[in-house]
Every structure is written in structure tokens, then in C-alpha cells.
Amino acid sequence: MSSFDEMDAFEGASLSSRAMAARGTPYLDDLNPAQRDAVEALDGPVLMLAGAGTGKTKALTSRIVHLLNTGRARPNEILSVTFTNKAAREMKSRVGRLLGQQIEGMPWLGTFHSICVKLLRRHAELVGLKSNFTILDTDDQLRLLKQLVRAAGIDDKRWPARQLAGVIDQWKNRAWTPDAVPVAEAGAYNDRGVEFYAQYQARLKELNAVDFGDLLLHMVTIFQTHDDVLEQYRRWFRYILVDEYQDTNVAQYMWLRLLAGGHRNICCVGDDDQSIYGWRGAEVGNILRFEKDFPGAKVVRLEQNYRSTPHILAAASGVIRGNQGRLGKELWTDAQDGHKVRLIGHWDGEEEARWIGEEIEAMQGGTRGMRPFGLDEIAILVRASHQMRAFEDRFLTIGLPYRVIGGPRFYERMEIRDAMAYFRVVVSPADDLAFERIVNTPKRGLGDKAIQTIQRCARDNGLTLVEGARLAVEDKLLSGKGAAQLAFLLENLTRWGRMTGDADVDHTELAGMILDESGYTEMWQNDKTPEAPGRLENLKELVNHLEEFENLQGFLEHVSLVMDNESDESGQKVSIMTLHAAKGLEFPAVFLPGWEDGLFPSQRSMDESGLKGVEEERRLAYVGITRAEECCTISFVSNRRVFGQWQSQMPGRFVDELPEEHVEVLTPPGLYGGGFGAAGMGAVGSDLHDRAAEANVYNSPGWRRLQARRDQRPISQPSETRNTVIDLQAVSAHTVGERVFHQKFGYGRIEAIEGDKLEIAFEKAGVKKVVAKYVMAADDIPF
DNA sequence: AGCCCTAAGCTTTTT
DNA sequence: GCTTAGGGCT
């Protein structure tokens, strides 16, 4: 199947290198000396240290074009790896633009994982798999592990499968197969980690499945044990380029080193100061030791920044200077002037959100000597996603348009995974995990007992679950409604399976048919929860996506790796996202809220990884500041609710590390004239760099008394908005059926009340869940 | 088999 | 404080 189509890429070069060489090199004139240096050093190992905003992608894509242009390689002989599909897409389109033509043949420009899938499908048998193996996502992985753990009679309450999954992941990140896990790790998961790891791998092989980590691990194993295969690819991939090298884990690093081992034509681009994925196995060490691994490597530093103003760069540099063991880079810019980084403290998270909301509204018209900013030029970058809610709540009330970037991905949604499971079982009836997922979805009267019977039946006879289920039906091991429905499902599965091979049946139609005839669509149509319409919408979208693929198999192969959540909603909106999600992006104005000890830097990071953890957090701070082009506003609060408990917060250490001369301390207008806030603000305004003084304020008896009082009832700062809302709420407790008004969604009728959340059918905006205090009875509207 | 209640947990996230 | 998963109950 398609694994062989893919290999065509090896054969036909779609672009004649001679034709390319005939053209000039205008793309080189566009580069600064450092970039040009990096682009022109085509042979041998090159490490490109590219600071934030220094034109890294430009250099990388120019390098590809230069390789083609000088005739050193054909498009299909260049291996370029990225971490995300988005980055891969971006590179592809930029290479195309530089060449001035669409290139069909850059088959090896992609993510580590997508490239490994291609390779592994070709060589699957070398690790005991068939080339049509399925790729499990983390959910499948977890369910599988849970089964193993329970089968071993282990209390999965005390030893959560989740923890085991984490351990195995880390081992795979380090390219350790079960027999290669070092003795020092033997204590993992109650001394039985290695044992379960081995079992898990065996089970995956039985299922003809791999998890994400396996894609890399298996390829490393194959390269290590089959010289002929490795040699073949060393010849094919004449030049290797790696983006975001600081994010590679050990397995990826070994994979690269094996492939580059012959010709050593490898160019790694990265920034040690932007390594923020250590917690999921990335090794900054990989970039720090590049010169040792590739002696004679040329190291090029891109330090001229085209993004930010001098103050912003200086602030970022000031913070990152606190890290040990950097490769050392100092960003500079030709840009003049600009605003200092702004720093402001607030009473609590809500106050912070309110201030930022007001500031954004003011910024649209131009404020504090700055130019007007459009909403889509503004981003709020948070450390942890739970910080987002305060902003969403606030922006919803004041009607400020925003978009949240990140969040649950399309293919992680329940309905999408269910639908995919149906497709999986139809395409490969041996997919036990998928069958398990859908056998009783929608409800077919098959409970735990029935499923156990099927499993026993399958295991005892060495059958797959589908076959086992069929046997169980034939042998009348199941009774009543469940048995009849199961028989019907099995019949359907067989029928649909036949249709996948039928050229007359369009696969898009087939997909729709599967969802309809299985009763899955109906299940959501009958569902009265407010999410149901959205889920049906998603299912429709899924089926639409199918059109882009040849058949169901093709779709399933790609979807787990490639389908992402690009929301195409456009328009003027403020972006809200995590700092991690912001890497690689830039915005004219950036807000960085929540710079408090324990939140940012995160307590857990410091507890688990000590100094290393703090350093990674510091890099995150660096990433955050360097996202800003013109205006960067950092804030922290005195009080924050952490897991429901009110806690007094100290400004995080990175606040102190901001170089004073590049910072302007703002005081929110009209607040803190006195009262509780004044203590906190005093510390901020006057003694920013004197932690002792701050500590005194926060530890004073008065402060602690205040804390004690606040624990009973959080004190709200008086504010006009809030008073209005509270008053209205006092006079109108809501009732179902009541006609109400919401500032953003307009008029609607209350459908249901759940605690302080109301489900409202709005006349224009549809059914939404809204917090009660943002809604007023239509009759009470004061105008 | 389905509903309700309690308990635990709880960054960051790609593939 | 909020969500979610699993156990226990009907």
C-alpha cells in the first residue's frame, strides 16, 4: 500500500538540479553576514545558534534552496526535520516561495514522527511489525497499560497506570528498550516498571501497534542492528537539517547521529536559551555537546534581532543571564527607542484580568504615549492554562473579543476518537483497542460482564476481540438484548469492511454511513446536553476532512500524526495562550501575567528539578519577553487562589532579575489609595529590588492577620462594575424560563440552572453556559 | 446497566 | 474550587 508509493519519492527527482543551478542566488543577497555564513557552509557539521527573532527560518530555508541551487542535492535527498507539523508546513511554503515555484519533491521535510512513520512502514518486519501497524495515542496507551497492571493484580489506585506511562515514556525518550533500562531505574513503579515495560511492548507487537515513542525507538533499533539499512539511508539523505535542535530528546539525537554518521552533512539550528521542553525529555545537553560529537563543526551565531525594541531585548538578556552553562549569545538590534518593559502588581487575579482588559481597551485608541494597537496585535501569555479562565471571564463580561490558542485538539475530542475507532475496526478488524472503545458506544446493552465474556472467549481461543465476539454470539454465551445488538454490530462491521474494498463506494460516503448506521450519530442527536450540537458539527467536519484522502486507510495513517487544531477563525481578537504555545510566535504587544513565586517559576518545576527546573523556567521567561515587538507588560498579584485556597503570593524571582533601567513600574490609577492593597503595592513601587523589604511587608503581623481574615471570605476590591453586578444579583435570583440579558450574547431564555452556571438559549448566539453573575434579568436592565 | 456520590488530582505539550 | 474517574447503590 501507500508505503510503497512513498518510496517513489526516492526515484523521481521532480526538480532538475541543473535547471536550478542556472539561476542566480538572489536569496543570498537578502541575508546578513551571519546568516549568509550559515547558509553557505553547506558541507560538514554546522551548528546555527539562532536567538529569538534573528531570522532562523529564513536562514534554514535559504540553506535548503542553496543546496538545491548549487546542485549538491535533489529535493528528495534532503532530510529536514521539525517538531511540529506547523513548522514543517511553514518551511515547505517558504522554500517554495524562495524558489519561485511549487516543489512537489521535498518528501523528507517533516516532523521526526512523520518521517519515522514512513521509514518504519518500510522496515516494520525488522522489529516484528506489519507495515500497516496502527499508531496509538496516549489514551489508547493508557488503557492498555491499565489492563496489564490490573491483570497483574496490582491496585491501580496506589500505582496509577498514568505513572507507569510516564516512566515508560521517559525511557523511550532516552532510547532504552526494556532490556536496556539501566539497573539504577529498577525501582521505578514499585520495582516492576521494567517488567511492565517489556509486557507492554510485547502486547503492542501482538496488536501490531506502536506508540509515539516507538516510532523513534524502533527506527533507532533498526539502524543500530541493520547496517545495510542504515547505509542505504546514509546514502539517500545527503544533507540533514534539524530545526529546534535544543528540543531533541536522546532518541531523536541518536537517530540523527546515526544518519549523519557517514557524511556528517548535518546542520542543526537551535537556541539553548529557548529550551523549554526538558520536562518531556528534551536534552539541552544535545546542543551544548554538538561540537564534541561533531569535531570541527562550524558554529554560527545569529544575534541580530529583527523583532524587538532595545529595552525589551535588554530585559530579556538581563533575565537569561542568570542561567549557568549557556553557549552564550547576546542579542542586539538596530532599532531605536521604544518603550521600557512595564511592570505592575495587582491585588488578585481578577484585578489583574480587569486591569489588562481595561489596558487593552485603552491601547486600541493609543495610550501612555504608544501607538494604537489592534486586538490581533496583542497577546496574553500565561504560565499555566488555568490562568486563562480569569481572562476569559473578564473579557466575556466586557465584550472584548479573544481567542484561546491551544486547548483540546480536534482529534483528542471524544466524538472524534469514537468515530476514528469505528473506522479503525472497519479497516483492521484486529484492532482490539478500537473495538473495545466502540462496542458499547452507543449503548448496546453490553456491560462489564458481557465485555469480559468476549475477552475471555477471544483469549481462550487465541482470537481477536471481533472474532471472539462472533464466537460468543454463535455459542450463545451472551443473552438477550445485548447479544442481538452485538450480532447486528458484527454484521455491520463485516459489511462495512467489504465496502472499503469496493471501488464503487466513496469512502466519504462510507464514513457517513458507518456513523449513521451504527447509531453513533443518533446517539448525539438524542443527547440534550449543550455540547451535543458542537459534537455533531465536529463529526461532520471529520467526514469532510476525509475527502482529502484516497481512502479510509490513508486517512487513518495520517490523522494521528498530522491533524492539528488550526482554528481558522480570523478577525480582530486578543490571543490568549500558554508560554509554551507561544514559542516561535511574535506580537507587537504582549502581556505576561502571573509572575509570582510558585506559579512562575512553577513550584513543581523547582521541586522536581531544582536548579535545572529554575533555569528552564527562566528560559520560559526569556521566551515570553522575546515574543514582544514593541510593548511588553509583566504583572504579578498579591493574592491568588491556588487549588481553591487563597494564598498570598510573592513576586517571582524573575521580576527581581529584570534590569531596573529597562523597566517602568506602573501603578494602577485610582486604586490602592489605602487599605490592604497598599501594603503590597508599596513593596512593589519603592523596593522592587529589595526582597528583604518585601518579605517584611508580607510577613508583618498585620499582613498575617489579614490573611487569616481573608481565608474565611475573599475580600473583593470595590469597583463600580462589580458593585453593579452584585446589586443586580441580590435582587434577582434566576429561574428557569426567565428572559435574561448578557452583555456579549444578548437576549436569551434560561434553559437550566446548575449552581452558579446558567444554560441559556440566546436568540442570536445559540445555547451557551454562562456564569450567573454576568447575566441579568431582561426586566432589570437599567436603560 | 445506569446513576449518583465521593475522593483524588491537579503545569507546561507534540507526535 | 473544579473536574473526572471509579465505586457503590438502585
Side-chain angles (χ1 to χ4, degrees):
Chain A
M1 1 176 289
S2 82
S3 54
F4 294 98
D5 304 356
E6 282 154 10
M7 298 315 290
D8 290 348
F10 282 126
E11 314 306 337
S14 59
L15 207 61
S16 146
S17 41
R18 196 169 307 166
M20 295 274 330
R23 297 190 312 189
T25 56
Y27 52 90
L28 289 180
D29 303 335
D30 225 21
L31 303 170
N32 69 32
Q35 289 171 335
R36 191 161 175 156
D37 219 19
V39 168
E40 291 188 313
L42 292 179
D43 300 305
V46 175
L47 177 62
M48 201 193 301
L49 292 171
T54 55
K56 168 194 79 169
T57 310
K58 187 177 182 182
L60 209 47
T61 47
S62 301
R63 192 181 162 91
I64 292 176
V65 172
H66 202 44
L67 280 170
L68 299 173
N69 210 358
T70 53
R72 278 202 172 58
R74 292 175 293 174
N76 56 348
E77 293 170 332
I78 301 174
L79 172 68
S80 4
V81 268
T82 62
F83 274 86
T84 63
N85 292 304
K86 196 174 153 200
R89 264 198 310 271
E90 166 85 7
M91 269 177 68
K92 250 181 202 168
S93 86
R94 281 177 72 166
V95 169
R97 216 181 314 152
L98 279 180
L99 284 171
Q101 71 185 86
Q102 205 50 46
I103 41 164
E104 285 157 46
M106 281 287 289
W108 304 105
L109 193 169
T111 64
F112 276 102
H113 291 85
S114 64
I115 288 170
C116 280
V117 173
K118 281 193 197 175
L119 296 177
L120 191 56
R121 290 213 188 275
R122 178 118 162 109
H123 301 287
E125 79 287 351
L126 298 180
V127 283
L129 293 165
K130 285 180 278 175
S131 89
N132 63 349
F133 58 80
T134 40
I135 302 164
L136 302 188
D137 59 29
T138 40
D139 218 66
D140 295 320
Q141 195 184 352
L142 208 59
R143 268 189 304 145
L144 200 51
L145 285 170
K146 206 170 263 181
Q147 286 174 11
L148 292 177
V149 167
R150 283 186 180 164
I154 285 186
D155 177 9
D156 62 340
K157 266 257 159 79
R158 259 193 80 199
W159 296 99
R162 179 175 285 281
Q163 187 192 331
L164 179 59
V167 168
I168 291 177
D169 255 7
Q170 290 295 316
W171 287 343
K172 287 189 175 176
N173 285 340
R174 287 178 222 169
W176 291 336
T177 50
D179 53 324
V181 175
V183 194
E185 300 273 326
Y189 196 70
N190 198 20
D191 296 339
R192 299 184 68 179
V194 181
E195 178 190 333
F196 280 117
Y197 181 17
Q199 274 187 38
Y200 171 66
Q201 291 306 93
R203 186 83 183 105
L204 284 178
K205 202 177 283 185
E206 279 169 25
L207 291 166
N208 190 33
V210 300
D211 62 23
F212 285 122
D214 281 339
L215 294 173
L216 260 300
L217 185 61
H218 283 324
M219 281 319 298
V220 168
T221 307
I222 290 172
F223 286 156
Q224 281 173 334
T225 52
H226 295 82
D227 284 345
D228 52 327
V229 177
L230 178 61
E231 274 312 315
Q232 178 194 344
Y233 289 109
R234 281 181 170 177
R235 279 196 302 273
W236 273 120
F237 302 137
R238 297 160 61 90
Y239 289 87
I240 302 175
L241 289 90
V242 188
D243 193 15
E244 306 280 17
Y245 186 60
Q246 77 282 349
D247 287 338
T248 50
N249 61 34
V250 173
Q252 288 157 340
Y253 162 80
M254 289 176 67
W255 186 84
L256 286 170
R257 220 171 59 156
L258 284 161
L259 281 171
H263 48 62
R264 304 203 322 149
N265 290 329
I266 182 168
C267 171
C268 293
V269 185
D271 181 356
D272 50 319
D273 292 334
Q274 289 190 69
S275 161
I276 55 175
Y277 286 107
W279 50 272
R280 68 173 201 218
E283 291 277 342
V284 215
N286 291 345
I287 194 167
L288 300 177
R289 63 192 263 192
F290 186 85
E291 289 179 82
K292 271 195 206 113
D293 292 325
F294 294 98
K298 182 179 176 74
V299 179
V300 183
R301 287 180 163 75
L302 304 190
E303 302 182 88
Q304 180 175 4
N305 176 290
Y306 297 97
R307 181 185 294 158
S308 313
T309 61
H311 282 308
I312 290 170
L313 284 187
S317 300
V319 170
I320 199 65
R321 241 194 304 274
N323 273 6
Q324 304 290 311
R326 299 171 55 217
L327 286 169
K329 241 181 315 81
E330 193 80 14
L331 297 182
W332 59 275
T333 175
D334 276 342
Q336 304 286 315
D337 311 325
H339 288 84
K340 290 187 176 182
V341 169
R342 311 184 306 165
L343 180 66
I344 183 165
H346 301 284
W347 175 250
D348 63 11
E350 280 184 47
E351 170 59 38
E352 183 180 50
R354 185 182 323 136
W355 183 84
I356 290 179
E358 277 164 20
E359 184 68 8
I360 289 173
E361 288 189 326
M363 285 166 76
Q364 292 177 77
T367 181
R368 300 176 202 266
M370 296 184 295
R371 70 167 175 96
F373 289 93
L375 290 180
D376 59 356
E377 294 184 300
I378 303 173
I380 299 170
L381 312 182
V382 297
R383 175 63 184 85
S385 47
H386 63 77
Q387 287 173 264
M388 292 180 182
R389 221 182 51 200
F391 294 99
E392 290 196 63
D393 277 358
R394 183 63 196 160
F395 294 174
L396 224 45
T397 23
I398 62 175
L400 186 67
Y402 67 89
R403 103 188 89 219
V404 172
I405 299 190
R409 327 201 120 254
F410 187 72
Y411 63 83
E412 278 168 8
R413 292 178 199 177
M414 191 203 319
E415 65 277 15
I416 300 304
R417 298 174 41 77
D418 286 341
M420 302 257 301
Y422 268 103
F423 303 157
R424 272 162 62 184
V425 184
V426 170
V427 170
S428 37
D431 195 330
D432 286 359
L433 285 167
F435 179 72
E436 242 172 84
R437 185 175 178 106
I438 53 99
V439 67
N440 198 34
T441 310
K443 299 267 181 288
R444 296 193 173 89
L446 298 158
D448 279 351
K449 237 182 86 198
I451 288 171
Q452 273 169 24
T453 307
I454 295 172
Q455 277 170 339
R456 199 172 337 110
C457 200
R459 199 169 343 109
D460 293 350
N461 298 289
L463 302 170
T464 66
L465 283 185
V466 172
E467 292 164 339
R470 197 161 283 137
L471 190 64
V473 171
E474 280 166 16
D475 292 358
K476 306 244 174 346
L477 296 174
L478 298 165
S479 55
K481 208 173 62 184
Q485 296 228 49
L486 178 60
F488 182 60
L489 172 69
L490 291 168
E491 215 173 277
N492 273 335
L493 288 175
T494 316
R495 193 164 50 86
W496 295 325
R498 266 201 311 270
M499 291 166 89
T500 56
D502 186 341
D504 291 338
V505 183
D506 174 65
H507 65 284
T508 313
E509 267 171 51
L510 175 60
M513 200 187 293
I514 293 172
L515 296 181
D516 288 344
E517 292 177 7
S518 64
Y520 191 71
T521 317
E522 197 187 347
M523 177 181 102
W524 287 115
Q525 280 164 347
N526 294 336
D527 191 304
K528 290 287 169 264
T529 59
E531 296 92 59
R535 295 192 194 276
L536 285 165
E537 196 63 31
N538 288 339
L539 288 171
K540 224 190 269 168
E541 200 181 319
L542 179 78
V543 174
N544 287 340
H545 262 291
L546 274 164
E547 280 172 16
E548 297 159 30
F549 296 85
E550 290 274 303
N551 49 40
L552 275 183
Q553 286 99 318
F555 172 68
L556 290 172
E557 271 185 32
H558 286 243
V559 77
S560 52
L561 290 172
V562 172
M563 212 148 117
D564 47 21
N565 211 15
E566 281 298 283
S567 54
D568 51 352
E569 52 168 342
S570 50
Q572 287 281 316
K573 286 178 181 168
V574 176
S575 301
I576 306 176
M577 69 189 94
T578 63
L579 286 161
H580 285 89
K583 193 164 88 157
L585 305 178
E586 57 188 13
F587 298 90
V590 167
F591 288 90
L592 302 169
W595 283 40
E596 298 130 39
D597 209 52
L599 179 59
F600 189 37
S602 126
Q603 193 57 50
R604 184 151 163 195
S605 189
M606 295 189 289
D607 290 347
E608 282 176 7
S609 317
L611 182 62
K612 268 183 85 180
V614 176
E615 296 209 332
E616 181 150 314
E617 296 285 309
R618 189 176 281 117
R619 291 192 290 267
L620 206 44
Y622 175 80
V623 167
I625 299 171
T626 52
R627 294 315 94 194
E629 294 169 8
E630 297 168 52
C631 173
C632 176
T633 312
I634 294 169
S635 57
F636 55 89
V637 305
S638 307
N639 301 280
R640 196 177 285 279
R641 221 171 10 195
V642 181
F643 297 143
Q645 291 291 102
W646 280 94
Q647 271 188 13
S648 71
Q649 300 282 98
M650 293 263 289
R653 66 188 68 192
F654 308 139
V655 170
D656 293 339
E657 293 172 8
L658 294 165
E660 201 168 2
E661 63 275 27
H662 300 291
V663 173
E664 175 193 2
V665 177
L666 300 182
T667 309
L671 293 172
Y672 308 111
F676 307 121
M681 283 313 296
V684 173
S686 54
D687 286 313
L688 175 60
H689 297 280
D690 185 347
R691 295 191 66 86
E694 265 169 36
N696 285 341
V697 172
Y698 285 95
N699 291 325
S700 68
W703 179 259
R704 262 184 263 125
R705 246 195 326 276
L706 212 129
Q707 291 306 305
R709 223 184 308 161
R710 188 153 356 89
D711 285 343
Q712 275 119 48
R713 183 184 62 84
I715 297 162
S716 301
Q717 282 291 303
S719 101
E720 274 179 44
T721 333
R722 189 171 310 182
N723 283 341
T724 318
V725 173
I726 288 168
D727 286 345
L728 280 173
Q729 207 174 12
V731 289
S732 64
H734 300 291
T735 50
V736 174
E738 187 186 355
R739 187 173 145 83
V740 291
F741 179 78
H742 183 276
Q743 298 205 31
K744 177 160 187 202
F745 302 130
Y747 288 97
R749 211 180 66 93
I750 298 183
E751 297 284 330
I753 301 178
E754 298 168 40
D756 65 337
K757 292 215 176 78
L758 306 176
E759 190 185 313
I760 300 173
F762 288 104
E763 287 162 13
K764 298 245 165 65
V767 179
K768 300 223 184 285
K769 263 194 196 162
V770 175
V771 181
K773 63 179 169 178
Y774 297 144
V775 167
M776 50 185 107
D779 300 335
D780 287 346
I781 294 170
F783 41 83

